Amino acid sequence: MKATYLTEKTQNGIDTWSIKHPLFQAKISSHGGHVLSFEPTGHQDLLWLSDSAHLDGSKAIRGGIPICWPWFGPSSGQYEGHPQHGYARTCNWTIVELEESNEVVKLKLIPQFSVKVQDLFPFELAMTISLSNELEITLHTKNKSDSAQPLSQAIHTYFAVSNINNSKLKGMENSQYEDKLTGKTETQNGAIELSEAADRVYLTDACELVLADSVREIRIGGVNHDSVVVWNPWLEGAKGMSDFDDEGYKTMICVEMANTQGLELAPGENFDLTQSFSIAT
Ligand code: BG6
């Protein structure tokens, strides 16, 4: 591929694309079409990547931006028995379009599902990633069938924070959320501040969030989501995962733009889900 800012390195069948641009640096893996890092110039990485993440294609990458598609969470109904969060995060992706300028780098990627996996669902998927001082990622889904089809999905972004104990997620005050750890529905009182494990589905289409730690503020946007998932496994949860260092929970929080509330795509319908983020201060 001929490119000015992007270089490609291939190891064991997995491509890693590094982009060095005056406005930012980023890394993307072909395994999962997974954004691994995004550093606007003059700033530290906005994304958290586990020190013990598997980058060799043996499993989904822990950190960065995994794509949960065409279902979010455990499989159910017609997909019963298939892996949590679907197949997009574990298949190989290829770049089909690359546009570079002094202002922005835009990539379009498509997943290379095996025939067996592709036959499971009647959707077509593409992803666009636009990088400048902001990162914007969009999942484009098309229902190829002639009947309505359920779709759930999430852009499962792991944000880096300097210290989770001094971090606040603002913009969902008073929203209701399903607490997946207790099974209860609660109402958010004030900004979100975590002091224990959290696995919450906020039932909101709030599209202007701010993640503030003691060092910086990250502005997080979303389009076409019906929920925002907030996740941190805390110490005990981290200990239970081989690819999550015990102390790693202290410097991360997942804030995921998602469709979890029974979205159905009509025959032939196209549906785009977007998440964007940038440094606010
Ligand atoms: C979150 C889910 O989005 O992802 C959690 O709400 C889940 O329930 C977490 O534990 C991580 O999932 P996984 O499959 O990457 O370990």
Side-chain angles (χ1 to χ4, degrees), residues 62 72 84-85 89 156 158 180 199 229 231 241 256:
R62 177 72 60 199
F72 170 77
Q84 158 136 311
H85 292 329
R89 65 178 182 161
H156 192 309
Y158 288 73
K180 287 170 77 177
D199 191 355
V229 181
W231 180 66
M241 286 178 271
E256 314 165 29

Side-chain angles (χ1 to χ4, degrees), residues 111-132:
Q112 308 294 305
F113 293 123
S114 67
V115 174
K116 222 166 123 194
V117 165
Q118 184 59 74
D119 283 351
L120 279 174
F121 37 77
F123 297 121
E124 223 167 62
L125 174 64
M127 172 166 67
T128 46
I129 304 174
S130 167
L131 302 132
S132 57

Side-chain angles (χ1 to χ4, degrees), residues 7 16 25 29 33 76 124 184-185 187 221 225 230 234 247 251 278:
T7 53
T16 304
Q25 295 199 17
S29 171
S76 62
E124 223 167 62
K184 291 187 182 153
T185 301
T187 302
H225 53 292
V230 174
W234 224 253
E247 302 291 305
T251 53
S278 59

Side-chain angles (χ1 to χ4, degrees), residues 138-181:
T138 300
L139 302 181
H140 309 272
T141 304
K142 181 181 176 133
N143 176 2
K144 295 182 300 177
S145 78
D146 50 15
S147 57
Q149 297 289 339
L151 172 70
S152 67
Q153 56 183 346
I155 302 174
H156 192 309
T157 308
Y158 288 73
F159 287 100
V161 290
S162 54
N163 181 349
I164 189 66
N165 294 308
N166 298 330
S167 301
K168 283 185 187 184
L169 180 60
K170 304 175 202 169
M172 295 194 284
E173 292 77 2
N174 305 319
S175 295
Q176 292 222 307
Y177 64 90
E178 293 167 357
D179 187 330
K180 287 170 77 177
L181 301 178

